[in-house]
Amino acid sequence: MRFNTIEHTADIGIEVEAESLEELFAGAARAMFSIMVDLDGVSAVLSREVSLDASDLVDLMFEWLNELIFLVSANRLVLCDFEVGSVSGERLEATVRGEEIDSGRHSLELEIKAATFHEMVVEERGEGWYARVIFDV
Amino acid sequence: MSGARRIGDFAWEIPTDFKPGMRVPGVVFADEELFEAAGRDKALDQVANVAFLQGIVGRSLAMPDIHWGYGFPIGGVAAFDESSGVVSPGGVGFDISCGVRLLNTGLTEDEVRPGLRDLMATLASNIPKGLGTRGRIHSTESVLRKVLTRGAREMVGMGYGHEEDIDHTERGGAYPGADPARVSARAFERGADQLGTLGSGNHFLEVQVVEKIFMEKEARAFGLHEGQVTVMIHSGSRGFGHQVCTDYLQVMDRVVNRLGWELPDRQLACAPLGSGEADDYLAAMACACNYAIANRQAQMHWTRESFEQFFKASDRALGLHLLFDVSHNVARMEDHQVDGRRRRVCVHRKGATASFPAGHPDVPAAYSEVGQPVLIPGDMGTHSYVLVGTETAMKESFGSTCHGAGRTMSRSKAKKTIRGPELKERLERQGIVVLAGNVKMLAEEAPEAYKDVSRVVDVCQGAGLSSKVAMLRPMGVLKG
């Protein structure tokens, strides 16, 4: 899995490449959290199960990343480990791990308000998968 | 596809053949330099995309601080007919009712400057900020419901401010039509303990001084004079509003699929005005607006308390009066003249401020003779402005003007070229005290990452969309 950030005048985006859909969704989550926090300082001490249904793969990516943003915003978690069990059709099952935000210990960088649909891509490319997501920060 | 053409000193038209599918032309209010800046990213394309939407009336507009957003451009203004048009959550944005309020003080720079660093520290300890910070108000669901329908009124009732604050807030402190039943449980969860938090990113609290007055009569009506200290708060609806937008984008996405509409950008998902989905969104959006107004009210209350603690006098004795509170991410039903007749339209302002003239029914009584105050936050190293609404804005821009400087440099480029600690030092040398949760991240908000705010407000003045009343210079900056 590889990811990089995309230049955007006001906000920030990510591009992710992976061999499988599961890896792509896990990679997108990791890329997003790497914008929010220095992931080296985050430990996987607690876990949450995530189960989602969507209308297509783009919608599923939108739901997935916004679900994780919800865990940050409402439950004050930072996440570092994303075990995406299966992505089949428009369903996703995953276990995500991390810990509660501790502003004294974690190097918090940018708050992400949401993942947007703007120019979002989730598609098969060659032997693998590609995703592009722009966030509102 | 044909290009944009200049149609005035401060206006450029994007013709309907710029992109096949546009229902109306676009107009960007800009001078040559700002227009060229808008052409460097995808902002003009986004002005064209908005013109694809059903029932758009007049023109798809962009203010001079236009830049690439998601869905609508930042600085985008569009109006949709009440019977044939749509409402689009992406045309308001995730930070519903992100906005600005300005608190006047009776203090001068000389009185505030000596203890400024300590005053800023007091403000920083009283106002929660940054990512993952709990607010000081642990609102139960029943309290939150009242805040969502009554906005600043509820906060004042709870002891966060004075009755007269309500008269100095847009819409009398509360957007009408708010219905908490249209808000998801998840938004309630996110909103529960973020009321009264500043947030991060471009949000800030600034202690400023009035450096220059441009219009005496208007300044007097706004209670402003040169040398006076003011406090500006730029904050929004926090996780509550972000979740409302996220929820309704998916609702609207399904509507678009059902109706078989082809949109140039999925983020422009929308629903016909008058449909259940549109009504639900507008009712939930009004809740988020009230949350945002209440959020800024709480922060202003703690600002007053900080000044009271510091200067050992009451907020009234210190002359801490709210000038005004504006929202610059919002959609509202308004009456406008379109093609020679009065029409009820849903005006979307995404990074744009209402700019109503004297006598307009939505201008509070205190300002009805001069027009609505327009509050423009600049970047932390230069200036902010107080403008006033105009008749021309009603004719040209559905009563709208700019909302800020507008970014010109991406966050990653800013971080690569500017170092946070050096920026902090540079600002301190300019006499600006900066307190930031994460100094490294300060670089993303550096003055050079923004357009020149003075140029933006001058173009607005040149185009007649608003007039300059006062220029404010930062003394102390609090960032998340």
Side-chain angles (χ1 to χ4, degrees), chain A residues 1-26:
Chain A
M1 188 276 294
R2 290 188 311 168
F3 71 83
N4 60 276
T5 54
I6 305 172
E7 300 266 325
H8 181 285
T9 318
D11 295 305
I12 197 160
I14 53 165
E15 279 182 309
V16 191
E17 285 172 353
E19 283 177 16
S20 68
L21 257 183
E22 286 78 11
E23 214 185 295
L24 185 80
F25 275 74

Side-chain angles (χ1 to χ4, degrees), chain B residues 30-50:
Chain B
D31 61 9
E32 215 157 322
E33 186 176 315
L34 291 172
F35 187 74
E36 202 188 295
R40 279 199 286 269
D41 57 23
K42 298 180 186 174
L44 298 183
D45 204 45
Q46 292 189 314
V47 176
N49 288 348
V50 171

Side-chain angles (χ1 to χ4, degrees), chain B residues 91-397:
Chain B
V92 172
F94 287 95
D95 201 357
I96 297 168
S97 182
C98 180
V100 188
R101 67 169 52 198
L102 192 69
L103 180 66
N104 290 346
T105 79
L107 299 161
T108 63
E109 181 169 12
D110 291 346
E111 289 169 302
V112 174
R113 176 67 66 186
L116 182 59
R117 202 168 291 276
D118 292 336
L119 175 64
M120 295 310 295
T122 306
L123 285 162
S125 72
N126 284 341
I127 298 169
K129 60 187 172 58
L131 198 163
T133 310
R134 275 197 177 83
R136 292 168 58 188
I137 306 167
H138 298 290
S139 36
T140 60
E141 193 177 319
S142 72
V143 169
L144 201 49
R145 280 178 188 279
K146 286 188 218 155
V147 167
L148 299 181
T149 48
R150 290 169 37 81
R153 291 162 191 260
E154 186 61 23
M155 299 306 284
V156 168
M158 282 160 47
Y160 294 91
H162 306 304
E163 280 294 326
E164 64 261 31
D165 297 342
I166 291 166
D167 302 328
H168 288 190
T169 304
E170 257 183 350
R171 317 288 277 173
Y175 269 70
D179 180 1
R182 305 295 152 223
V183 172
S184 71
R186 295 163 74 80
F188 270 92
E189 261 189 86
R190 282 178 80 170
D193 59 5
Q194 293 185 17
L195 191 59
T197 62
L198 182 62
S200 65
N202 62 356
H203 292 157
F204 66 76
L205 181 148
E206 264 185 24
V207 174
Q208 312 165 323
V209 58
V210 180
E211 190 165 272
K212 194 171 165 61
I213 295 288
F214 302 96
M215 296 170 87
E216 282 297 337
K217 180 182 155 207
E218 287 73 8
R220 235 184 347 266
F222 294 168
L224 294 171
H225 58 85
E226 283 178 14
Q228 170 191 17
V229 168
T230 58
V231 182
M232 184 175 272
I233 297 169
H234 179 208
S235 185
S237 50
R238 312 292 295 115
F240 182 87
H242 311 164
Q243 189 65 40
V244 167
C245 182
T246 302
D247 292 339
Y248 278 96
L249 263 174
Q250 283 194 295
V251 170
M252 302 303 188
D253 191 52
R254 288 193 288 273
V255 172
V256 168
N257 279 334
R258 194 177 69 220
L259 296 175
W261 286 350
E262 297 273 338
L263 297 179
D265 180 354
R266 201 163 171 176
Q267 183 69 25
L268 290 172
C270 51
L273 286 164
S275 67
E277 291 89 349
D279 287 348
D280 287 353
Y281 170 68
L282 287 168
M285 185 211 72
C287 289
C289 289
N290 292 335
Y291 187 99
I293 292 169
N295 182 33
R296 291 188 289 270
Q297 181 74 26
Q299 292 173 59
M300 180 180 73
H301 175 69
W302 295 320
T303 300
R304 283 176 170 153
E305 282 191 348
S306 302
F307 273 73
E308 286 179 330
Q309 286 164 20
F310 196 77
F311 290 100
K312 311 270 186 290
S314 75
D315 71 307
R316 290 187 196 275
L318 293 168
L320 304 180
H321 300 297
L322 174 61
L323 194 163
F324 204 48
D325 179 291
V326 296
S327 300
H328 51 224
N329 284 357
V330 75
R332 303 176 32 167
M333 298 306 299
E334 294 173 6
D335 294 319
H336 287 277
Q337 285 294 123
V338 185
D339 303 329
R341 69 187 173 100
R342 199 156 187 78
R343 284 166 82 170
R344 186 122 185 106
V345 290
C346 184
V347 181
H348 293 56
R349 295 188 183 90
K350 186 184 190 184
T353 317
S355 180
F356 300 142
H360 188 283
D362 283 330
V363 177
Y367 307 129
S368 65
E369 282 188 19
V370 290
Q372 188 212 287
V374 176
L375 308 174
I376 305 299
D379 63 74
M380 60 181 131
T382 53
H383 293 104
S384 293
Y385 283 87
V386 179
L387 318 175
V388 67
T390 63
E391 282 291 347
T392 307
M394 294 305 291
K395 294 190 190 87
E396 296 290 331
S397 59

Side-chain angles (χ1 to χ4, degrees), chain A residues 7-10 56 58-59 63 67 70 73 76 108-109 111 113-114 116-119 136-137, chain B residues 41-42 46 68-70 94 132 134 186 190 193-194 200 250 265-267 407 410-412 438 440:
Chain A
E7 300 266 325
H8 181 285
T9 318
D56 54 44
V58 164
D59 192 36
E63 270 201 28
E67 175 71 22
F70 174 80
S73 179
R76 229 169 271 95
L108 300 168
E109 303 203 334
E111 181 176 43
K113 292 172 184 161
T116 77
F117 275 128
H118 177 56
E119 297 197 339
D136 183 15
V137 297
Chain B
D41 57 23
K42 298 180 186 174
Q46 292 189 314
W68 183 21
Y70 44 87
F94 287 95
R134 275 197 177 83
R186 295 163 74 80
R190 282 178 80 170
D193 59 5
Q194 293 185 17
S200 65
Q250 283 194 295
D265 180 354
R266 201 163 171 176
Q267 183 69 25
R407 287 191 74 93
S410 74
R411 291 176 179 276
S412 46
N438 182 339
K440 194 176 90 182

